[in-house]
Amino acid sequence: MANSQLVLSFAAAVPAALLSGILTWAIRPLMVRIALAKPNARSSHRISTPQGGGIAVIAATLIAATAVIALAGAADMKIPIAIFGATLFIAAVGFADDVKPLQVLPRLLLQGLAVAAVIVAAPESLRIVPACPFWLERGLLLLAGLWFVNLVNFMDGLDLMTVAEIVPVTAALVLLGWFGDLPASTTVAAAALFGAMLGFAPFNRPVAKIFLGDVGSLPIGLLAGWCLLQLAWHQQVAAALLLPLYYLADATITLLRRIARGEPFWAAHRSHFYQRATDNGFSVSGVVREVFALNILLAALAIGSVMTSSPAISGLLLVAGAVATAFLMRRFSRRAPSIG
């Protein structure tokens, strides 16, 4: 099974990377005309830059994953129609928001519909905490999914930032799929997203030629969240938390601090730890490198937590990941060390 998943993963990742790169190059002139992100006080970029590159990433991911799953013809591999449909729907919501910003409430309701479709489509037999009432667990998952989709959007505020997050996460998910800890269809979807992000990366490296936009960050959050949820449903909760831990911690702590200060937490801002790092003298490339390095460490810890049969060791690995994440956020909140 591992060998077949290995072949299928490469069959999804390589075409997704090529298609993502070609589509990004092809759509950029159009995005310059209809979805140009102009700098403002809360932006990290200094020149007007087109957004909408997520169209290429999501198209490449879904085309590659669907083709591989369909052509594999295995009885245990089914195209997750509800998942892919919800991904397309939330991408459309994101694109509308990129072209003309939507009001907060309608945007959240539409995002909630997409997340709800993913949760409702899951078999009732899939549980994380069986002792918890079914309706309560699914309700909490709906809220968690909505938050995860938005935090990926919030954290997509620097050139190459989401690439530095999603590439290690999806690579680890693919490896775990090879070990048999994820369904084959989930592994293929993660591999396709991995490849699509790599294909997009050359256009998004500092100084970015194009941004993902909400059309990319929202569906990427939905797809990645679904893959992580599959991991949690396989009773690998520590791994499901470790893989996105930097994004989870930065976005959640920032939100709670803004609420505690009485700020309009739904409004755009520049108070995430990674944004404060650039204000404190860190270069964009430096921030992205450090986040990427942390994510490699978190991926290794997540894989270790799956490999062990000891809940105590998994807990210790989760604590180690939390300490490493806290260290980086503390580092970002201070002035960058001077050189020379």
Side-chain angles (χ1 to χ4, degrees), residues 8 11-12 15 63-75 77-79 188:
L8 292 172
I63 290 171
T66 300
V68 169
I69 293 172
L71 293 175
M77 286 186 68
K78 297 179 180 179
I79 298 174
V188 168

Side-chain angles (χ1 to χ4, degrees), residues 165 168-177 179 181-182 228 231-232 234-246 294-310 313-322 324-325:
E165 176 70 16
V169 168
T170 50
L173 288 167
V174 171
L175 286 174
L176 292 173
F179 297 150
D181 293 291
L182 281 177
L228 293 168
L231 200 56
H234 281 71
Q235 300 307 306
Q236 301 296 345
V237 177
L241 291 172
L242 275 163
L243 286 174
L245 189 55
Y246 176 71
L294 173 63
N295 283 325
I296 294 295
L297 172 62
L298 293 175
L301 294 174
I303 292 171
S305 75
V306 173
M307 295 297 99
T308 183
S309 58
S310 169
I313 294 176
S314 292
L316 288 175
L317 293 175
L318 182 57
V319 170
T325 301

Side-chain angles (χ1 to χ4, degrees), residues 29-63:
L30 176 62
M31 295 301 107
V32 170
R33 295 196 297 272
I34 67 173
L36 196 64
K38 298 180 180 179
N40 56 47
R42 299 180 180 93
S43 303
S44 295
H45 61 289
R46 296 290 176 262
I47 59 174
S48 296
T49 305
Q51 52 190 352
I55 294 172
V57 172
I58 297 305
T61 299
L62 297 185
I63 290 171

Side-chain angles (χ1 to χ4, degrees), residues 131-184:
C132 179
F134 177 81
W135 64 268
L136 179 58
E137 181 174 292
R138 289 298 167 97
L140 292 174
L141 287 177
L142 174 60
L143 293 176
L146 185 58
W147 173 231
F148 191 80
V149 163
N150 278 281
L151 73 83
V152 172
N153 182 32
F154 297 157
M155 295 293 290
D156 183 42
L158 283 183
D159 299 346
L160 218 60
M161 184 68 165
T162 297
V163 174
E165 176 70 16
I166 296 299
V167 165
V169 168
T170 50
L173 288 167
V174 171
L175 286 174
L176 292 173
W178 296 350
F179 297 150
D181 293 291
L182 281 177

